[in-house]
Each structure stands twice: as C-alpha cells, then as structure tokens.
Amino acid sequence: MAKPLHDYSIAEAGALLRKGTITSTALTEHALDRIKMIDPLISSFITLTRERALADAATADADFAKGIDKGPMQGIPHALKDIYATAGVRTTCHSKLLVDNVPAEDSVVAAKFKAQGAVLLGKLATHEFALGGPSFDLPFPPARNPWNPDHIPSGSSSGSGAAVAAGLVRMAMGSDTGGSIRGPAGYCGTIGLKPTYGLVSRRGVFPLSYTLDHCGPLSWTVEDSAIAMEVIAGFDPQDPGSADVPVPDFHCKLGAGVHGLRLGLPRRWFVKADGVSAETIAAIDDAAQTLARLGATIEEIELPDYELFIACGRVIMFSEAFAIHEKDLQTRPLDYGLFTYLRMSMGAFVTAVDLTQAMRLRRELALAVNAQLKSCDALITASTLAPATPFSDVNPNNPPTFPVQAMPFNVTGNPAMSIPTGFSKSGLPLSMQIVGRAFDEPTVLGIGAAYEAATNLYLRRPHFGVAKAA
C-alpha cells in the first residue's frame, strides 16, 4: 500500500474496500495489532471487542462480495465512548457502579453504525460518568495523551481523543456537555464536532445533563466527521431533546472553500482569559489570517462575558447531574471516584431560584450569539486555551479545571467544531473552534475542510517509537 492502513481516512479506506484493493478484515486486523502495541502506553480502551470486530469485518467483506453496500461506514473499524450502551458488551461509564453492566439493547448511535455494517473495535475510556477525571481511583486507568503520555488528553471523551490521535481508529464517538468532545480533540490534535442540540439521538447514552448533552464524533479528518454525521443524525421521537428537522447534507460544502464568508472573531474572549497561552493566541490569529487569505472576511465581534456562559452552564449541569445520581450518591457514595463525588455533590446546593435564573439567562445568551450569526456565517474562537496539562499538575484531592472555552455552545446549542491549528514548542497540539448557526453543520465542516486543506496538519502523527505500528 502507498501508506500504512491506519493513515487511510474513512473515505479513502471505503473507496479501497469497494474496489476490492483491501478488505475489512485486513483493516480490522491491522487496527487490533496497533491497539495491542500502542494502547498499553495510552490506556484509551476499556473493553476490546476482538471477536465481535473480526465477525463484523467478515460480514462486511461478504456483503461487499455480494454487491451489497449499506453505506460509507460499511467495513470501517470504529469505537464508542464507554457511556454508549452496546448490546451484549459491557458499558461501564468508567465507574465501579457499572463495572459489570451489560446492556440488553444498543444505543441508537451504536445501532445505526451496526446497521450500516461498521466494525466495532470496543469501548473507550472516559471520565467517570462523563464528569469525574482524570482519576486514578477508578476501576480503569485514565487515558493518556498520545503526543506525550505524561500529559492528559482532556475529557471527558478522553479515550476517544487519544484513540483517534494515535491512529487506533479513524473515528470514535464522544459526548459533549461542557466541551467533552472539543477538549480532547483540542488536546489530542483531532477534529471534534459537537452537533446542534437535538440533531443526534442520545437514547441509550448514559446522561450527564439532559438539556446540555450532545453526541458527536472525533475523527482524524473533517470529511470523516461528515461521514459519521451522515450515519448518526436524524430525528428520534423517543429522545425528548431530539429535533424533528431535515437532516443536512454534511458533504455539500466540503469543497466550497470560504471565499465570501464573513467570520466573527470574539477575540476578547480568549486573549484575556485565565490560563491562555501566547502560543494559542498566536495560532488562532494565524488561522484567522489563513482563512482571510482564502477569501473570508474576518470581523472582530463582541459577545456577553464568557463568565456568564460558564456560570449558567455549570448551574444547569450540576443540578441535572445531581438529579440523575441522587439515589446512588446517597446510598453508594464511596463507590464513586473522589472527583466525581465532589463535582456531583455541588448539585445538591443549587436552589430552584438558581436554576430558574440560569434557564432565563440561557435564553438571553443564546439570543446574543445568534444575533451575531445573523450577520456572520460562522464564528472562530478558542477551543483549548493552552497545550495539554501534565498529569503531575493534577491535585489528587481537588477536581482540576481545564483551560477549555467550550461551555458557551452547550448553553446555546449551536454546532461547534474543534480543529488543530498547529503545535506548541513542546510538541503538543493547539486548536481553535468553529461555531455555526443551528443545524448549519455543513458550513462549519466546509470552513474546517478549507482550513485543513490549507495547512495539512493532519499529516503529522504522534510518534511512539514502535516500528511495526508506524
């Protein structure tokens, strides 16, 4: 082959599968071998479904041989954050409370991938219940950053970000309540798309916050996220938050470029933020200049204070998380990791007045963001504010806060995608965020694809010093 199998995107691998140049079994065996060699260094997988994966691959190969084509994920290995229910495969939420939990039914997302003939490699590490981490007092170790395993991969979709960056999978599913897709994407140098609220069903995904939770993909290329969205998007009448709207054509703007687009840049948000690095600011400014050279108009804009979005989102998230976990927090508190328990317990102190005011403020903040998007086609802003934090900086007695500016678009529900902008002097990824109008993922993906093509940052992979894995 012209390059290692793990470097072929979903689109590239799919074309080769349909030509008969490669088989799904070969892709899957290569992935399993790579996981065996590399995952001990980064702990991205909790459960490896080797037999299931080989069986899925054999079925896909047989279907291709019969001329049966179920869609772009057919025969493609993937993995799921371990909060997605999988029939017959344990779903632990990285927690002692569910360490032996084996669901009887698939989540909607898992079922959609299965129906299209995708190959399930396994379940990926997360922060406990998508909130508490990175922790060493849980049944499984925390995932590590492939660019430097001494550093965290952010969270809570930590295993998803690490596995994609390491080339173990082309695409992995994550969830995002306050940045849990975009944070790992930013720290690990991948694409991470939080779709519009309600565009992807969350049924069968263990909830953290009913009104803030989003499901979305992390991938190595923008096009691969578009392919994943093509499979998983759609109305689900059994998900109360699902939106009954037409599913967009996620590919329609991938080659359209950015010429003539107006992009808003809320620069004051991140240049004055606590924890922001000079390298992050310079990388975003350079990205804005790149987009301008490609034909976009960049306009500095003002949004409400970032702290308002954070306060609003946290009040809602902690109150809803506590409501979900109240019984177990009261009867099994010692079965939670310390970070999870401390974070969840904050919800017990949120009053009805607090929650009412947060819900009112949420509407005002959404109106302010969408007012800017009436004159701008999209916004570009920070995703992560600095390179990945080392594990040594995490206080084992105090839940860490990560410099990630993602919560605003959980509050508003707008689609938002993290995309790499380069690397720090220490060799760790830097990133920015592209934010669009509700249900306008095609524009977000199109801007990302244009920037990706102009920079070719996806050509650089973490190096593990393992000759067979390269």
Side-chain angles (χ1 to χ4, degrees):
M1 305 299 294
K3 55 185 177 180
L5 287 180
H6 56 269
D7 274 344
Y8 284 95
S9 68
I10 295 175
E12 292 170 336
L16 294 174
L17 285 169
R18 285 159 179 80
K19 290 178 181 178
T21 306
I22 60 172
T23 65
S24 177
T25 297
L27 286 176
T28 302
E29 289 177 342
H30 179 86
L32 290 169
D33 288 345
R34 190 167 173 84
I35 291 166
K36 182 178 180 180
M37 288 185 285
I38 291 174
D39 202 53
L41 302 175
I42 61 172
S43 302
S44 65
F45 276 83
I46 287 178
T47 300
L48 185 64
T49 53
R50 181 181 181 86
E51 292 182 3
R52 157 76 181 271
L54 291 171
D56 287 349
T59 298
D61 287 335
D63 284 342
F64 281 125
K66 297 174 185 175
I68 299 171
D69 193 334
K70 298 177 180 178
M73 283 296 295
Q74 181 169 314
I76 302 295
H78 72 291
L80 303 169
K81 182 177 182 177
D82 202 27
I83 64 171
Y84 285 76
T86 40
V89 178
R90 68 176 180 172
T91 303
T92 72
C93 295
H94 212 121
S95 177
K96 181 179 178 181
L97 281 84
L98 294 177
V99 72
D100 296 316
N101 173 50
V102 179
E105 297 181 0
D106 280 323
S107 58
V108 170
V109 167
K112 287 187 172 185
F113 281 124
K114 182 187 293 185
Q116 197 163 110
V119 174
L120 180 65
L121 290 175
K123 308 297 287 294
L124 296 164
T126 173
H127 288 178
E128 186 179 26
F129 290 111
L131 184 65
S135 302
F136 290 90
D137 59 352
L138 301 175
F140 315 99
R144 293 178 174 272
N145 194 308
W147 297 94
N148 185 337
D150 290 334
H151 291 246
I152 66 170
S154 189
S156 64
S157 305
S158 50
S160 300
V164 170
L168 307 186
V169 291
R170 293 156 185 81
M171 186 281 302
M173 286 300 299
S175 67
D176 195 314
T177 306
S180 291
I181 289 172
R182 290 159 290 157
Y187 274 13
C188 295
T190 76
I191 305 300
L193 176 62
K194 180 198 77 66
T196 307
Y197 182 81
L199 189 56
V200 178
S201 175
R202 303 162 303 171
R203 183 156 52 96
V205 180
F206 200 99
L208 173 59
S209 173
Y210 295 117
T211 66
L212 294 172
D213 288 349
H214 300 65
C215 295
L218 294 92
S219 65
W220 193 241
T221 69
V222 173
E223 184 181 19
D224 283 355
S225 277
I227 290 172
M229 287 299 300
E230 180 181 321
V231 178
I232 62 177
F235 177 57
D236 176 11
Q238 296 184 59
D239 176 357
S242 188
D244 190 2
V245 297
V247 174
D249 178 354
F250 299 104
H251 289 76
C252 67
K253 295 185 179 180
L254 290 187
V258 297
H259 186 78
L261 295 184
R262 296 179 63 85
L263 305 180
L265 176 66
R267 195 170 184 274
R268 186 173 64 86
W269 255 20
F270 56 87
V271 296
K272 299 294 185 182
D274 289 340
V276 70
S277 72
E279 290 175 308
T280 296
I281 296 171
I284 295 173
D285 287 342
D286 183 67
Q289 292 172 15
T290 297
L291 291 166
R293 287 195 297 271
L294 294 173
T297 298
I298 310 298
E299 178 182 344
E300 285 202 34
I301 62 169
E302 293 291 330
L303 291 173
D305 287 346
Y306 179 77
E307 289 73 15
L308 288 174
F309 289 90
I310 287 293
C312 177
R314 285 179 177 171
V315 166
I316 296 169
M317 180 178 70
F318 288 131
S319 61
E320 292 185 345
F322 183 78
I324 292 164
H325 287 268
E326 180 181 16
K327 181 178 179 181
D328 284 332
L329 286 168
Q330 291 174 343
T331 60
R332 302 178 61 184
L334 297 181
D335 287 339
Y336 287 91
L338 176 62
F339 289 173
T340 314
Y341 179 80
L342 292 174
R343 285 175 170 152
M344 293 278 189
S345 297
M346 293 175 66
F349 303 98
V350 177
T351 68
V353 172
D354 295 330
L355 187 56
T356 299
Q357 295 284 31
M359 290 297 189
R360 178 191 60 78
L361 177 60
R362 182 180 196 175
R363 179 62 177 160
E364 293 180 2
L365 295 173
L367 288 171
V369 169
N370 289 313
Q372 292 289 355
L373 285 165
K374 288 180 180 179
S375 58
C376 296
D377 295 288
L379 311 180
I380 54 172
T381 186
S383 178
T384 52
L385 292 174
T389 306
F391 276 98
S392 58
D393 284 359
V394 177
N395 183 337
N397 299 311
N398 188 37
T401 56
F402 306 122
V404 176
Q405 286 198 336
M407 177 66 85
F409 308 112
N410 294 88
V411 169
T412 69
N414 293 77
M417 183 175 73
S418 181
I419 186 168
T421 54
F423 294 87
S424 67
K425 291 180 181 178
S426 62
L428 293 167
L430 302 169
S431 66
M432 70 173 176
Q433 193 171 184
I434 304 169
V435 183
R437 300 165 181 153
F439 305 107
D440 191 15
E441 278 77 4
T443 294
V444 172
L445 291 162
I447 296 167
Y451 179 75
E452 179 183 72
T455 59
N456 284 327
L457 290 168
Y458 69 94
L459 296 177
R460 179 173 170 180
R461 285 273 192 188
H463 176 67
F464 296 96
V466 182
K468 292 182 180 180

